[in-house]
Amino acid sequence: MRLRTPGTTPSPLSRRAGAPAGAAALLLAAAACGGGGGGETAAQGSLTIWSDPERAEVLEPFAMEFGEANGVEVKVEALPADDLQGDFVTAHEAGSGPDIVVGAHDWIGNLVQNGAIEPVRLPEGAEADYDPAAIDAVTYQGQVYGVPYAMESLLLLRNTELAPDAPATMEELVETGKAAKEDGKAKEALALQVGQTGDPFHLQPLYTSAGGYLFGTDGDGDPDPSDLGVGTDASVEAMERIAELGEEGEGVLKRSIDADNAPSLFEGGDVPYYVTGPWALAGAKDAGIDYAVSPVPGFEGAEEAAPFLGVQAFFVAAGSGNKVLAEEFAVNGVGAPELASALYEADPRPPALIEVSETYQESDPDLAAMREALESAVPMPVIPEMSAIWDPFGKAQAAVIGGEDPASAVAAAEKAVSEQIG
């Protein structure tokens, strides 16, 4: 059975299109370098890049310049983000896929299992140009499978009129949030999307702070599917802590708050706190909310909250008919500050390139805060077995938040996950 891992981006991306000048000079120089392919590129044929619409718009001028410099046609094709990974695997199996695909690092296990991508060869010393966590995220079974360009994790967005100070603990957040609601200043204490089927991605910081884990790690530090954390005593205890915040406890976690209404609660000024990601900042700005960004707090006296780290990257297709040129674009083009800057301008998430990140931090306080939130994040497991977690464990979380017994809910989730993993 082929397992397909969902992407890490849970919300629509903000769109602020734009590409800087200087793309021609950059990519002409990149073409002359020979790239990670280790040889001369073939000045013939074509190169096709698949991306979601937001990235495609930014990539277009860079791709055109790269094509002109190498005497080839470079096409950037925009596909719906929700279907991009599955469409890529299907096209690969049919022999009609692109040369490069842009997507989330947690696709890697599934794409490698399907033989759809190949490792990339970064130039000697180039890894030091990237945030170590980004390189770690795109490394699987000891090999680098993608060129990272952006990083993301959950963070706490705070309405500073309702909550002037960042909470040090989840208990402090609950106290301040409930006080704002009781005083009639807010409709809810916290906007954290749960929905009727749960949301393991958004609940991961609380689950990990309370001691839960999804998969252990093997001797190489990779996720170990034989060590399933769901069903352990630690997972039950973690769910008991989450239940305390649920509908029959503090009432700050609710199934009625989901992906559709969580953004509007914050943008409407109806909630002091919002657990979300960089993708939500544009909406807050457009709504005129005075906000601040800080890490998601953990429980008092417990572990540090560890949200998932997501990394966006460029992957070279195993079925590419022009792999040398594809790797050259991925390594030299994506690894250059100009393109990384353009991608950041279009969709402000912490750049994977250290130079670009440091440059923007000087004038963008949000970026510095986002990077602080990243410090405790742990890469989303890239193993294909991760896809077995989302549905059953999400339903268990929703049940617990609704008042069901944590031990029973976790046991049911463990059975379903184990059956899927085999």
Side-chain angles (χ1 to χ4, degrees), residues 48-121:
T48 300
I49 302 171
W50 278 10
S51 172
D52 63 80
E54 286 77 15
R55 248 60 52 185
E57 189 171 1
V58 179
L59 286 170
E60 188 68 35
F62 291 90
M64 289 179 61
E65 297 290 350
F66 186 83
E68 291 174 2
N70 287 274
V72 297
E73 179 186 10
V74 183
K75 296 178 290 185
V76 180
E77 298 180 356
L79 282 77
D82 291 344
D83 302 324
L84 186 52
Q85 183 188 178
D87 288 344
F88 175 60
V89 172
T90 300
H92 165 73
E93 292 172 345
S96 58
D99 300 281
I100 296 172
V101 65
V102 185
H105 87 273
D106 63 293
W107 297 3
I108 291 175
N110 180 49
L111 298 184
V112 171
Q113 178 177 283
N114 283 281
I117 59 173
E118 292 190 348
V120 295
R121 294 164 291 178

Side-chain angles (χ1 to χ4, degrees), residues 186-197:
K187 293 180 179 179
E188 298 289 351
L190 169 67
L192 188 158
Q193 64 186 61
V194 175
Q196 297 302 313
T197 56

Side-chain angles (χ1 to χ4, degrees), residues 5-50:
T5 310
T8 62
T9 306
S11 301
L13 305 175
S14 61
R15 179 177 298 181
R16 290 196 293 123
L26 161 69
L27 291 175
L28 282 169
C33 290
E40 295 183 359
T41 59
Q44 58 183 1
S46 63
L47 198 66
T48 300
I49 302 171
W50 278 10

Side-chain angles (χ1 to χ4, degrees), residues 281-346:
L281 298 188
K285 291 177 181 177
D286 291 344
I289 300 294
D290 290 330
Y291 70 85
V293 176
S294 60
V296 179
F299 292 103
E300 183 176 359
E303 301 291 330
E304 185 177 34
F308 285 122
L309 168 67
V311 172
Q312 300 294 321
F314 285 67
F315 304 109
V316 175
S320 169
N322 212 339
K323 291 181 184 177
V324 172
L325 196 63
E327 187 170 31
E328 184 171 314
F329 182 88
V331 170
N332 286 322
V334 180
E338 288 83 351
L339 179 51
S341 296
L343 290 165
Y344 178 78
E345 290 287 344

